């Protein structure tokens, strides 16, 4: 059986007035049937571009995409048929009420009508009471759910979701997660993009980290969490720490002016109690005056900036 | 097959989502034309056919509306999708590009047809001799409507805004229609328009559709079919080509 999705050396260069944007600089990826794969990366990493290349909305500059063994350019009818998707920027036709839109969507993917399934889906997404409304009469959250319903109504084998939970409340996010897990249990392969580590951790069995148009790492989730478990220690001091003292520390450290005067130092610490201890020892040894210390998980942006495998490309 | 059919039904239903406007505007504008041109000019014209000028003109207006509505219906449907950005759906349907284009073409044609038939029924109610050969009218207006609708599909896929479509509509569609003997028999045009009109395939489609309505003799029907069929193939091909190259967005 062919892989659900196979992306080979895809490059995408946008021509803009100021020159060229290399949104994808040669990415390869294989997703097996039954996976939930998370495409994780900061804004501008190239996630949406990759999704659009897979869907064929954007033509890759080079490289190939196959969906269940069908090339998405030369054999696009067969490649598109098993796919359901939600764009990052949802665009819905406003000519029809919700339920009709979903009935059409089934037909557009060659599926016979199935009112019972449409009803079940609408109920599950709390849209049943709104089924006769036009999309423009729905709230933002409802439109998102409608887009998800549209992606699922033809019972696709591969579901592609671009930032399915960006900017929505926790309740809807949990619901979306539940649905993703449920369809996956029934055998649907899922590819989603996110810039929340938490989402990728909770949902995906494998994660690809993309940054500046390249995969930095593709690995099973557990392995990645281990490697990414960095923390950020923030120190607030009334006086600046001398440069030669700073250079004694082996962790990356950044100096900023403090919000209430003084200075703020951000230190990125590798995972583990040991290393936090090392840091505390260093602070003690310098004898500098400290107003406040904070310890937090590192943000994804910091992790990217400091990833050992993120440099030199 | 199911995919094509669904897309077609969807397109047709889209064009009827605003039925009052779809139907009322052409009826009112036809009425205005009749009052202004028909009644005012009709009496002063010496006319080579056995029908009076008013009958001739009304039949022309019905045909013109089929073609115009076919063009306009599909262009506005596509341009609205561009404004709303759901036009990208066209690039994701599991259907060959030429069938996607044809479904739009037929969708627009049905709208033009619907408007034309409604006008026709109104005309039959008010005037005599308006239904000499309904089958000929229905068939030829469908074929002509398809031509205009496919033209509209291609134009709308290329254009980024309503303004650009209006440009094409005003400087290509309207002149072609006016020069196709809608208001006035092309054979009576002054030169050079008369010779020019011989090369306008729409003249023949209008003639043949008009034959179905009021029985005035058309030109060579085989030539008509050839001209119109090649027109349909041309714009079907251009539309498909445009889809392959990529739909122009805003
Ligand atoms: N249509 C476009 N034209 C030019 N540049 C683009 C276009 N779309 C995206 N880009 C650029 O490509 C890069 C990747 O963008 P995108 O794929 O949207 O990232 P992400 O989805 O990960 O936030 C960005 O630098 C973005 O500015
Ligand atoms: Mg994005």
């Amino acid at each position: 059986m062919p892989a659900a999705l196979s992306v080979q050396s895809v490059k995408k260069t946008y021509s803009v007035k100021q020159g060229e944007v290399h949104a994808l600089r040669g990415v390869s990826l294989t997703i097996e049937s039954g996976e939930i794969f998370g495409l994780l990366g900061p804004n501008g990493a190239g996630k949406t571009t990759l999704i659009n290349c897979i869907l064929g909305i954007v033509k890759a500059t080079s490289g190939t995409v196959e969906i269940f063994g069908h090339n998405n350019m030369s054999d696009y009818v067969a490649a598109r048929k098993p796919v359901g998707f939600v764009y990052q920027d949802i665009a819905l036709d406003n000519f029809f009420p919700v339920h009709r839109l979903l009935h059409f969507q089934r037909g557009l993917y060659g599926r016979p009508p199935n009112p019972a399934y449409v009803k079940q889906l609408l109920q599950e997404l709390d849209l049943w009471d709104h089924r006769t409304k036009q999309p423009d009469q729905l709230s933002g959250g409802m439109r998102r759910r409608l887009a998800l319903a549209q992606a699922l109504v033809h019972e696709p084998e591969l579901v592609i979701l671009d930032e399915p939970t960006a900017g929505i409340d926790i309740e809807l996010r949990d619901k979306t997660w539940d649905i993703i897990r449920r369809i996956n249990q029934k055998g649907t392969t899922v590819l989603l993009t996110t810039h929340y580590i938490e989402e990728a951790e909770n949902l995906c069995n494998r994660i690809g980290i993309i940054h500046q148009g390249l995969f930095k790492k593709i690995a099973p989730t557990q392995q990645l969490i281990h490697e990414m478990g960095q923390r950020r220690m923030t120190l607030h001091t009334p006086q600046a720490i001398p440069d030669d003292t700073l250079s004694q520390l082996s962790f990356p450290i950044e100096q900023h002016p403090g919000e209430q005067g003084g200075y703020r130092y951000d230190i990125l610490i590798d995972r583990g109690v040991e290393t936090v201890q090392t840091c505390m020892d260093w602070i003690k040894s310098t004898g500098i005056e400290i107003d406040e210390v904070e310890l937090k998980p590192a943000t994804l942006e910091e992790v990217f900036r400091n990833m050992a495998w993120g440099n030199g490309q | 097959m199911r995919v094509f059919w669904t897309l077609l039904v969807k397109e047709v239903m889209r064009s009827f989502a605003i039925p009052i406007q779809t139907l009322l505007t052409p009826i009112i504008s036809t009425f205005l034309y009749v009052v202004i041109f028909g009644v005012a000019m009709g009496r002063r014209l010496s006319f080579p056919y056995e029908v009076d000028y008013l009958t001739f003109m009304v039949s022309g207006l019905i045909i013109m509306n089929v073609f115009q509505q076919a063009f306009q219906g599909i262009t506005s449907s596509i341009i609205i999708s561009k404004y709303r950005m759901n036009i990208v759906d066209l690039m994701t349907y599991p259907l060959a590009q030429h069938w996607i284009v044809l479904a739009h073409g037929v969708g627009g044609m049905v709208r033009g047809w619907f408007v034309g038939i409604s006008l026709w029924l109104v005309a039959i109610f008010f005037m005599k001799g308006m239904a000499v050969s309904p089958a000929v009218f229905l068939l030829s207006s469908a074929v002509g409507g398809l031509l205009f609708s496919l033209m509209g599909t291609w134009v709308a896929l290329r254009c980024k805004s309503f303004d650009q479509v209006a440009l094409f509509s005003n400087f290509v569609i309207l002149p072609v229609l006016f020069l196709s003997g809608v208001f006035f028999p092309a054979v009576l045009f002054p030169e050079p328009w008369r010779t020019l009109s011989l090369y306008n395939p729409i003249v023949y489609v209008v003639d043949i559709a008009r034959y179905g309505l009021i029985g005035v003799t058309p030109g060579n029907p085989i030539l008509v079919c050839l001209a119109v069929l090649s027109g349909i193939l041309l714009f079907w091909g251009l539309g498909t080509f445009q889809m392959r190259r990529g739909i122009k967005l805003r």
Side-chain angles (χ1 to χ4, degrees):
Chain A
M1 180 151 168
L5 178 71
S6 160
V7 174
Q8 294 301 327
S9 326
V10 165
K11 292 185 182 172
K12 176 66 193 179
T13 305
Y14 291 109
S15 298
V16 292
K17 281 191 202 93
Q18 299 81 5
E20 292 184 328
V21 179
H22 299 280
L24 294 174
R25 295 187 287 161
V27 297
S28 299
L29 167 70
T30 303
I31 300 179
E32 298 301 334
S33 215
E35 286 197 85
I36 301 183
F37 189 94
L39 209 54
L40 182 64
N43 282 325
K47 303 183 295 294
T48 298
T49 303
L50 179 54
I51 296 292
N52 288 350
C53 285
I54 292 167
L55 293 174
I57 302 165
V58 164
K59 226 174 252 173
T61 310
S62 65
T64 57
V65 174
E66 284 183 4
I67 298 170
F68 293 107
H70 301 288
N71 186 290
N72 78 337
M73 286 294 152
S74 59
D75 192 9
Y76 60 87
V77 175
R80 289 172 188 178
K81 202 139 195 171
V83 180
F85 56 88
V86 177
Y87 300 118
Q88 182 170 358
D89 301 310
I90 293 163
L92 293 163
D93 203 344
N94 193 43
F95 280 89
F96 303 107
V98 167
H99 67 104
R100 174 144 303 139
L101 213 57
L102 294 182
H103 286 298
F104 274 138
Q105 188 74 3
R106 275 186 73 88
L108 287 170
Y109 281 79
R111 296 273 185 183
N114 186 346
Y117 181 70
V118 172
K119 183 175 179 183
Q120 183 204 327
L121 200 59
L122 284 174
Q123 282 172 335
E124 193 169 16
L125 288 161
D126 295 333
L127 286 170
W128 180 247
D129 294 339
H130 306 285
R131 65 188 179 282
T132 56
K133 288 187 183 164
Q134 310 281 120
D136 282 4
Q137 295 170 303
L138 302 176
S139 70
M142 292 180 201
R143 270 204 292 274
R144 249 169 199 285
R145 280 178 271 156
L146 175 57
L148 188 58
Q150 227 181 1
L152 303 179
V153 71
H154 56 282
E155 301 162 65
E157 294 163 70
L158 171 63
V159 171
I160 299 178
L161 308 169
D162 197 358
E163 312 238 357
T165 61
I168 63 177
D169 60 35
I170 304 279
E171 200 188 342
L172 179 52
R173 187 199 68 180
D174 288 349
K175 187 161 271 167
T176 308
W177 286 5
D178 283 347
I179 289 173
I180 291 172
R181 288 196 191 100
R182 197 206 70 209
I183 59 169
N184 178 251
Q185 264 151 27
K186 286 190 188 163
T188 308
T189 311
V190 179
L191 164 62
L192 60 88
T193 76
T194 181
H195 55 254
Y196 304 125
I197 295 182
E198 191 197 356
E199 179 160 71
E201 270 185 41
N202 267 292
L203 218 49
C204 305
N205 70 303
R206 221 149 54 94
I207 294 175
I209 293 186
I210 187 169
H211 187 46
Q212 295 179 347
L214 281 173
F215 275 119
K216 301 302 180 190
K217 187 107 183 171
I218 299 178
T221 307
Q222 288 314 313
Q223 183 185 332
L224 227 81
I225 291 172
H226 182 78
E227 289 177 29
M228 296 204 319
Q230 293 170 313
R231 271 144 234 258
R232 185 179 57 173
M233 185 179 278
T234 306
L235 308 178
H236 297 270
T237 64
Q239 251 95 51
I241 305 176
D243 279 347
D244 56 331
T245 315
L246 285 179
S247 61
Q248 289 165 8
L249 190 67
S250 59
F251 302 116
I253 181 162
E254 283 175 18
Q255 178 183 310
H256 305 280
E259 283 85 29
Q260 275 103 38
Y263 296 86
R264 195 186 90 217
Y265 292 91
D266 289 334
I267 307 170
L268 197 75
I269 306 176
D270 273 335
R271 71 191 318 279
V273 180
E274 287 288 305
T275 44
V276 172
Q277 192 59 52
T278 316
C279 216
M280 298 302 287
D281 290 347
W282 168 75
I283 293 167
K284 217 178 274 169
S285 73
T286 60
I288 45 179
E289 194 183 336
I290 307 262
D291 288 338
E292 205 182 317
V293 180
E294 289 171 66
L295 192 60
K296 278 190 191 158
T299 65
L300 188 55
E301 266 72 18
E302 284 172 309
V303 174
F304 282 123
R305 225 182 312 137
N306 296 288
M307 256 185 310
W309 15 274
N311 301 329
Q313 255 105 14
Chain B
M1 192 59 214
R2 187 192 297 277
V3 181
F4 179 80
W5 184 247
T6 311
L7 187 56
L8 177 55
V9 171
K10 191 177 170 201
E11 267 316 307
V12 171
M13 286 184 63
R14 270 176 78 120
S15 61
F16 290 125
I18 32 173
I20 300 293
Q21 203 181 322
T22 312
L23 206 60
L24 229 51
T25 315
I27 290 180
I28 291 172
S29 69
T30 303
F31 180 74
L32 287 178
Y33 274 123
V34 168
V35 170
I36 294 165
F37 292 105
V39 178
M41 289 171 60
R43 293 191 194 91
R44 274 181 279 148
L45 281 171
S46 64
F47 208 57
Y49 303 123
E50 54 270 35
V51 299
D52 61 12
Y53 179 65
L54 199 62
T55 310
F56 183 89
M57 198 190 77
V58 169
S59 66
L61 283 171
I62 293 172
I63 296 159
M64 184 175 91
N65 265 294
V66 175
F67 297 169
Q68 236 179 351
Q69 291 295 325
F71 179 86
Q72 207 196 313
I74 201 62
T75 46
S76 57
S77 167
I78 291 175
I79 299 288
I80 288 174
S81 290
K82 286 193 180 182
Y83 278 107
R84 293 185 65 90
M85 298 303 285
N86 65 322
I87 189 78
V88 280
D89 289 349
L90 288 195
M91 293 184 250
T92 54
Y93 292 143
L95 182 64
Q97 281 157 337
H98 53 275
W99 296 125
I100 294 181
V101 171
L102 188 68
H104 281 78
V106 178
M109 182 209 87
V110 172
R111 166 165 153 152
W113 224 36
F114 179 78
V115 172
I117 291 171
S118 312
L119 272 177
W120 184 36
L121 294 178
V122 175
I124 291 174
F125 186 78
F126 285 110
M127 302 168 82
K128 281 203 259 310
M130 266 290 162
V132 171
S133 178
V136 171
F137 167 67
L138 290 176
L139 196 71
S140 53
S141 60
V143 173
L146 183 60
L147 173 60
F148 276 88
S149 174
L150 282 169
M151 206 187 296
T153 306
W154 172 62
V155 168
L157 289 176
R158 277 190 69 93
C159 290
K160 292 177 186 167
S161 65
F162 280 112
D163 291 344
Q164 290 183 356
V165 174
L167 223 60
F168 189 89
S169 176
N170 290 336
F171 290 104
V172 181
I173 301 288
L174 269 186
V176 164
L177 279 173
F178 282 173
L179 284 179
S180 61
V182 169
F183 293 113
F184 203 71
V187 285
L188 297 186
F189 284 164
E191 292 294 355
W193 302 114
R194 205 179 85 85
T195 315
L196 214 63
S197 75
L198 293 177
Y199 298 97
N200 176 4
I202 307 302
V203 170
Y204 305 102
V205 193
V206 171
D207 271 357
I208 213 163
R210 174 176 276 136
Y211 172 79
L213 291 175
I214 61 174
V216 167
T217 341
N220 183 346
I222 297 176
L223 257 175
V224 182
C225 293
L226 277 179
V228 175
L229 277 180
S230 44
I232 285 174
L233 288 178
L234 173 69
F235 287 106
W236 189 5
L238 282 173
T240 307
F241 175 70
Q242 192 63 44
M243 274 213 65
R244 187 154 305 161
R245 275 189 49 188
I247 299 169
K248 287 226 165 70
L249 296 175
R250 272 183 302 156

